[in-house]
Each structure stands twice: as C-alpha cells, then as structure tokens.
Amino acid sequence: MRQCREEYSANGSSMNLLLTSIGKRIELIEHLKSRFRVIGADASGLNAAKRFVDAFYHIPKCHEDGYVDALLSICEREAVLLLVPLYEPEFEILDGARARFEKIGVKIVLSDRTVLNICDDKRRTAAFFERYGLSAPRTYSLEEVEEFIEGRDAEYPFIIKPVKGMGSEGIFFARNRKELAFFYEYAGNALVQKCVEGREYTVDVLCDFFGEPVYIVPRVRLEVLSGEVSKSRVDLRGLVIEETKRLLEALNKEGGVCGPMTIQCFLSEDGKDISFIEINPRFGGGVPLSFAAGADYAGAIEKMGEGLCVGGKDGGLMAAKTDLTSFRNGELKELTMLRYTQAVYE
C-alpha cells in the first residue's frame, strides 16, 4: 500500500474534513477551508489541489487493494469527522464501507446505495422520472431503436449517451437514420432519447443528513468546455426550484438523499416547461458560482458535523436533527461566472 502525507498550510478550523480525489478542485477546497481543516487525498501525487489543502495523502486508486484501509488510517490519524468523496467510481465502494467509518466516528456525506443506483444508471434515472411524473425527454426502448434503424419513421434529432458515463464523454447526436445506426453501434451500451430544446440549467443542491434541501441553486450553462462549465449565471427561477424540490421529495421516497447533488435540466424558451435529464450525487464543477452567490455550503456542512455525536462502547455514531431544514435561497444573489485557467509549479 502506498500512502504518503504532505503538509502545506494550516488554518484555525477545529473540525477536520477529508476530501477524496481532489485533482484540481481548488475553489471547492478554499470554500470548505473557511470552516474546516481540509485534508485531501488522491491516487495521483501529481495534482494541483494538494497545494491548497491543509494536509495531503497519496493513496491507492479506489479499485486497488488498500484504498478503504488507507482512508480509514487517514481518518484516525487526522481525527476526521466528515468524509466527502468527489469521484463517482468511489461512491459504491465507500457506501459499502460506511459501517467501518462510522465505527471510528466518521460520517460519509453521500447519498445511500438506492439513490446512487438511480443516479448511476441513466435507464434507471429515466424510469425514476417516469415513475414520479417528473418531466423528462422520452427514452426509447431497445425495440423502438431497432425499428428506427430499420426504417420506421422517427422524429429526429435523438441524443445517444452511455447508460453509465460522466461529463460529456460518449454523447452523440443523431439527425437521421444513418447517424442513429452508426452512433448507436459505436456507443455500445447506450440510451437513446428525444432531444429537448430550451435553456440548459445545472441545479446545485445541498441536502442535510435527513434529505432536507438546504440550498437549491439553479445556474444557466452559458458555455461548456470538455464537459465542464466555463461560463454560467445564477438564475433563481421559481419553476426550476419548485420542480427540483419535487424531484428531491420523490428521490427521498426511494432512498436516503444526503450531501451535494447536481441536477441537469432544460427550461423551455417561454419558461413554462421543465425537462430533467440527469442527476449526479456529487459536487458539480461549477458549484463555486453558487458559493459566490451566497450558498454557504461550508457553513451548512459544519452544522451537519455539529449535529453528530460519537457515543457508545463501539464508538457508534448517532445523528441529532439540526436546524438545517429552513430553506435558504432567499440569501442568494444572481451572479455570472467567467472562468479562466491558472497553474502551479513544482
């Protein structure tokens, strides 16, 4: 097992929080450092974010032996209270190890397995939308897709995307039968949906340990580069917020929602109709805009940490309900984010 520790800075925070797969999530780290001593872990020692955490650990990849043990060791050494994973392939592994972390007094800020499964598989996401009457683009069955390829009339364009995927990787648009046949075969295990039109939104959400939303912040995606937003604007549309609340209520009926969520949707040009396309149980790349607009995620997560008490002979962790259920969007400002690139040098 490889594990090394590097110290870079110190702040006055008393509560310790561990972030995994920190990569280049510098703005997220700086926001959380306003309330926490932030420990970072990553499977690569060659990352920029390690220069911004209070302590850095180089750990195994999530599918390698020793990954969970390395994180447990860090949590014990650094007296970590909260663990926030940032990389989706880690989620199922960490969910399966929750009891081991809770035994040493660490709470993982992550939705439960049922919610993760709905979000991880886009067929299950589409079925979830349909089950609860949440507006979403039509998803075509395998039989329908085969019929379209064979020549059945269809209303193009279609979007073809992997059932399991991240960002914009492996997404294709088919404007006719020939393109549908080619991209569907090329993509492999793919989902075919009707393209929706309108203004694309990302909704940053933070929920407490009881699934209650603390923040729901809709952002218009003005420009996206390599799957990550580069220009965005906070737009506090009532319809987007209310429908997102309804989505969260439905998701809580399926399992336990907790921590950050990133929800994608389209709003029609007349602002009257919404269409959800994706749910991601993690921080979005553009969430720093929500921080700048007034969404104090760090403060809310700190209160979540304060609502935990470690007790019992086995160090079992119990949660006491906090006051986070009051919805705080009234504090937000409508800002625009224009991103640029910086570098660090070793």
Side-chain angles (χ1 to χ4, degrees), residues 203 216-218 235-246 274 327 329:
V203 187
I216 298 176
V217 189
D235 185 358
L236 301 174
R237 294 291 181 113
L239 179 63
V240 176
I241 293 170
E242 291 306 314
E243 286 299 296
T244 299
K245 285 184 186 178
R246 197 161 73 88
I274 192 171
F327 191 60
N329 264 35

Side-chain angles (χ1 to χ4, degrees), residues 114-115 118 124-136 243 245-255 276 279:
T114 302
V115 173
I118 290 171
R124 287 195 286 260
T125 306
F128 163 75
F129 290 149
E130 184 175 359
R131 188 158 60 248
Y132 287 94
L134 296 161
S135 181
E243 286 299 296
K245 285 184 186 178
R246 197 161 73 88
L247 183 154
L248 293 169
E249 289 171 2
L251 204 53
N252 272 303
K253 292 177 182 178
E254 295 284 327
F276 289 107
I279 311 170

